[in-house]
Amino acid sequence: GIKKLEMKSFEFLKNCEFCRLAKAKRNTFKGSVSRSTVLGKYWYADIKGPFEKPSLIHQNTYVFGIIEGKTRYLLQFYIKKKSDVDRCLKLWYEEKVKALRLTSKGEELRRISINTDMGESTSNIIIEYLNGVGITLTSTCPHTPEQNMIIERAWRTIGESAIAMMLTACLSEVYWEEARKAACYMYNRSPSTFDASFTASPFEIYFGTVASVSHWKIFGSTCYPVNLIRAKGNHEPKAW
């Protein structure tokens, strides 16, 4: 058999060219991004997909997410193709950015920044639209997800939660959209476990009010929706 040899007998392996080529890996990223002090000033966006199976009801294959920098409040848009991202950004501007600008003080939100990767949001149509409404689009370098780490970390939380809920409820993969919606809903209403200085949930910081959780149910629970169009005078079930 092979006998135990002294480590110095293998010193030459430290400079082995082929070992370096075979074992190369990226350095671990341990940085952090400080929270913005102005609500709605900085946003981070990314897209996930295509998923292997379209969602059950709407047949979506992508999810586009935008997260606010101060509160970490996450928005999700479910789409069928990447070209639908421009519609999502317009909806985000109309429903969120306009409202924040109306309630902001001074010129804090005159210019807003949104950071994304090099793919889905860099078309000339999107850039021109965002510039026209006072939003600056910045993009990360290729193959550097750590530069968009805020939403990348949120994606991991949402994805792992969705998987766990589907496994617990014994649901197939086609329910991924419903699972991610539920995971996002809980994420926005739960305090951060990574930043002890923020004891409030993203929802509470964003809207200034405590979110109600009394209506929460276990994902995958059996329910019996009432049949509201049931004919009177019969003895058929009142629920499905």
Side-chain angles (χ1 to χ4, degrees):
I2 299 177
K3 297 181 180 180
K4 184 177 180 181
L5 302 175
E6 296 182 3
M7 290 299 297
K8 64 181 181 180
S9 301
F10 297 92
E11 286 293 323
F12 71 96
L13 291 178
K14 292 182 178 180
N15 297 317
C16 173
E17 174 185 0
F18 302 106
C19 292
R20 292 181 180 273
L21 293 175
K23 298 181 179 180
K25 63 179 181 180
R26 298 182 63 175
N27 293 330
T28 302
F29 182 77
K30 298 182 180 180
S32 61
V33 178
S34 59
R35 287 181 182 252
S36 171
T37 57
V38 180
L39 176 63
K41 184 70 174 179
Y42 298 100
W43 300 76
Y44 306 87
D46 191 28
I47 192 169
K48 294 288 288 185
F51 293 99
E52 183 178 355
K53 295 183 179 180
S55 60
L56 179 65
I57 299 176
H58 302 291
Q59 298 296 298
N60 293 316
T61 54
Y62 293 89
V63 54
F64 179 66
I66 306 177
I67 192 169
E68 199 278 321
K70 178 182 179 180
T71 63
R72 302 298 198 260
Y73 187 79
L74 177 63
L75 306 170
Q76 290 190 132
F77 302 90
Y78 297 89
I79 53 181
K80 293 181 173 62
K81 51 187 184 298
K82 279 190 173 183
S83 58
D84 291 334
V85 167
D86 61 339
R87 176 176 56 83
C88 300
L89 288 170
K90 291 178 181 178
L91 188 63
W92 160 69
Y93 171 74
E94 293 292 334
E95 294 186 353
K96 300 299 179 182
V97 176
K98 277 188 174 182
L100 289 173
R101 280 177 170 169
L102 289 173
T103 57
S104 66
K105 299 179 180 179
E107 300 293 320
E108 290 180 337
L109 299 183
R110 182 179 181 183
R111 294 298 301 181
I112 292 175
S113 175
I114 182 170
N115 186 65
T116 183
D117 61 24
M118 294 292 291
E120 62 279 352
S121 304
T122 54
S123 68
N124 291 332
I125 296 176
I126 292 178
I127 293 174
E128 291 176 2
Y129 171 77
L130 294 177
N131 286 334
V133 294
I135 300 175
T136 301
L137 176 67
T138 59
S139 58
T140 63
C141 297
H143 311 297
T144 54
E146 60 270 16
Q147 293 183 353
N148 209 16
M149 62 181 297
I150 293 179
I151 193 165
E152 293 289 353
R153 186 63 186 85
W155 276 153
R156 179 176 175 182
T157 300
I158 299 300
E160 291 176 349
S161 299
I163 293 172
M165 287 191 294
M166 288 191 294
L167 291 174
T168 303
C170 297
L171 294 176
S172 61
E173 191 178 352
V174 294
Y175 287 91
W176 65 265
E177 181 176 336
E178 286 70 25
R180 293 185 75 98
K181 284 180 179 179
C184 181
Y185 191 87
M186 292 186 291
Y187 168 86
N188 283 331
R189 289 158 179 78
S190 304
S192 172
T193 58
F194 300 98
D195 193 341
S197 61
F198 282 80
T199 57
S201 66
F203 181 97
E204 182 177 350
I205 303 173
Y206 190 98
F207 293 101
T209 182
V210 178
S212 173
V213 297
S214 60
H215 58 284
W216 285 16
K217 299 291 188 296
I218 297 175
F219 182 80
S221 298
T222 302
C223 62
Y224 301 91
V226 177
N227 182 5
L228 299 178
I229 58 174
R230 174 175 170 270
K232 295 182 179 180
N234 60 33
H235 295 81
E236 295 180 356
K238 295 183 178 181
W240 284 299

